């Protein structure tokens, strides 16, 4: 008998959406995000959101050629160099491939070595902001919300692989240091819930970009999941509590944000309803809400599930049943453009797959109660 999840998957065209994400990818962060989406879709048992991602406190041994996300990434990652892939000036973006590289490295040693080289480049050779936050850019100290998705989840995963508690603490610390700078201030000078996109001398964008907030909260969520799933009690309770609080702040801010059009998508800039609604931020913020309802149900209750479901319902009509394109989305290379992209973006496609996978896992856990 066909399950409801299988019927929903077919109706959602998730395979077609994922294929389009891979086809559109042409930048380092897009490759890493697509690889993560492939893992969450096809091999959820390998994701840090699974119940037991670290058997015996170690990374799992996986057949790379039979694991779509790893097979996809293996063809893209370079070994024997400082970074896993050319970041085109970004210090953080190549690390988006770090988690899958470490999984590949369990059976292909040169990839484990490459992952450690990538970490050294980030920790030792990348500029630092005045508060100690590692720059997202190679040649100037500049903080992008995107970094939080690329680097802390990788460092926390590497901490498990190498049994390095200080590295685990560093992954949490970087989330906090980024929040310290990027968290916006309300007119009353009190902190708001949401993050600015970029603070720095070259590409500064003080707006509350929807996708940027999605990047930030999803990266913190993956870092938290890694910390919670390692050996019980090994890492400080207060550090996990702080990450949960950061996630809650961003999700609460997104819940209060205006929506645009029908379906009611979150606006490209969350505090400005003159912007078009777009799918990338909507999908990723919704995916994180589903994940947190499972990961920390006592703190993330019904209203987070309702928000996640509203994102799901808003995304479904945006899927082209013929091409699998999910639109409209912001221009990922020109986020201030007032013209939405109607061709779709690789990251928007991947985020939609993550939304599907997060909802699937949420529904499965809910049904098992």
């Amino acid at each position: 008998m066909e399950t409801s999840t299988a019927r929903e998957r077919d109706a959602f065209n998730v395979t077609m959406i994922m294929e389009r994400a891979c086809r559109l990818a042409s930048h380092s962060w897009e490759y890493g995000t697509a690889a993560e989406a492939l893992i969450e879709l096809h091999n959820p048992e390998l994701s840090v959101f699974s119940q037991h991602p670290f058997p015996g406190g170690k990374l799992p041994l996986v057949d790379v050629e039979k694991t779509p996300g790893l097979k996809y990434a293996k063809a893209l990652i370079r070994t024997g160099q400082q970074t896993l892939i050319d970041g085109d000036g970004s210090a953080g973006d190549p690390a988006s491939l770090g988690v899958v590289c470490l999984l590949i490295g369990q059976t292909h040693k040169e990839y484990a070595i490459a992952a450690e080289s990538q970490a050294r480049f980030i920790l030792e050779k990348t500029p630092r902001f005045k508060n100690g936050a590692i720059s997202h850019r190679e040649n100037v100290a500049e903080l992008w919300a995107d970094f939080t998705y690329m680097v802390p989840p990788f460092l926390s995963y590497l901490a498990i692989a190498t049994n390095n508690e200080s590295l685990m603490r560093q992954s949490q610390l970087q989330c906090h240091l980024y929040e310290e700078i990027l968290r916006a201030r309300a007119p009353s000078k009190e902190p708001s819930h949401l993050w600015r996109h970029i603070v720095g001398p070259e590409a500064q964008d003080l707006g509350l970009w929807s996708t940027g907030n999605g990047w930030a909260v999803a990266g913190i969520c993956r870092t938290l999941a890694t910390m919670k799933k390692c050996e019980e009690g090994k890492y400080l309770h207060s550090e996990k509590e702080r990450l949960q609080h950061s996630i809650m702040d961003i999700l609460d801010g997104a819940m209060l944000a205006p929506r645009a059009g029908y379906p009611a998508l979150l606006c490209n800039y969350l505090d400005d309803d003159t912007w078009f609604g777009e799918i990338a931020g909507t999908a990723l913020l919704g995916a994180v809400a589903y994940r947190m309802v499972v990961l920390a149900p006592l703190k993330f209750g019904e209203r987070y599930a309702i928000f996640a479901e509203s994102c799901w319902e808003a995304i479904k009509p945006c899927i082209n049943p013929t091409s699998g394109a999910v639109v409209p989305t912001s221009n990922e290379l020109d986020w201030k453009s007032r013209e939405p992209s109607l061709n779709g973006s690789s990251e928007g496609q991947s985020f939609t797959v993550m939304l599907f996978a997060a909802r699937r896992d949420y529904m499965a856990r809910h049904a098992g109660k």
Side-chain angles (χ1 to χ4, degrees), residues 168-317:
M168 182 67 81
R169 292 177 186 275
Q170 181 66 211
S171 69
Q172 182 273 337
L173 176 63
Q174 287 302 315
C175 293
H176 167 62
L177 295 176
Y178 261 73
E179 181 181 40
E180 189 176 78
I181 300 299
L182 295 185
R183 189 177 181 186
R185 295 277 166 176
S188 64
K189 304 303 181 183
E190 292 298 316
S192 77
H193 294 288
L194 297 166
W195 287 24
R196 302 196 185 281
H197 182 200
I198 302 168
V199 171
E202 291 187 348
Q204 181 155 287
D205 175 17
L206 300 182
L208 311 182
W209 189 40
S210 174
T211 303
N213 277 273
W215 282 127
V217 74
I220 299 171
C221 181
R222 290 173 63 202
T223 303
L224 173 66
T226 304
M227 292 180 73
K228 287 177 74 75
K229 301 299 175 64
C230 66
E231 293 179 24
E232 187 175 359
K234 189 172 182 179
Y235 300 109
L236 291 179
H237 175 74
S238 62
E239 294 172 321
K240 290 179 276 193
E241 285 290 312
R242 192 168 195 171
L243 292 178
Q244 286 187 172
H245 184 74
S246 299
I247 294 166
M248 186 173 288
D249 272 346
I250 294 176
L251 291 180
D252 286 353
M255 289 183 200
L256 296 171
R259 298 205 180 196
Y262 178 82
L265 298 165
L266 290 166
C267 297
N268 189 43
Y269 281 83
L270 291 171
D271 59 338
D272 186 349
D273 62 6
T274 67
W275 279 91
F276 56 83
E278 66 88 39
I279 62 93
T282 304
L284 192 52
L285 286 157
V288 172
Y290 278 129
R291 293 297 187 190
M292 290 309 300
V293 173
V294 174
L295 196 61
L298 296 181
K299 290 185 178 292
F300 292 81
E302 184 179 5
R303 69 190 184 99
Y304 295 94
I306 292 171
F307 170 72
E309 195 69 10
S310 75
C311 294
W312 166 263
E313 292 297 334
I315 291 292
K316 286 195 295 184

Side-chain angles (χ1 to χ4, degrees), residues 7 75 85 91 100-101 109 134 138 193 214 243 246 249 264 278 294 303 329 361-362:
R7 290 193 299 272
I85 194 170
V100 288
C101 186
K109 186 177 180 180
I134 300 169
E138 288 183 350
H193 294 288
L243 292 178
S246 299
D249 272 346
E278 66 88 39
V294 174
R303 69 190 184 99
T329 188
D361 296 348
Y362 161 77

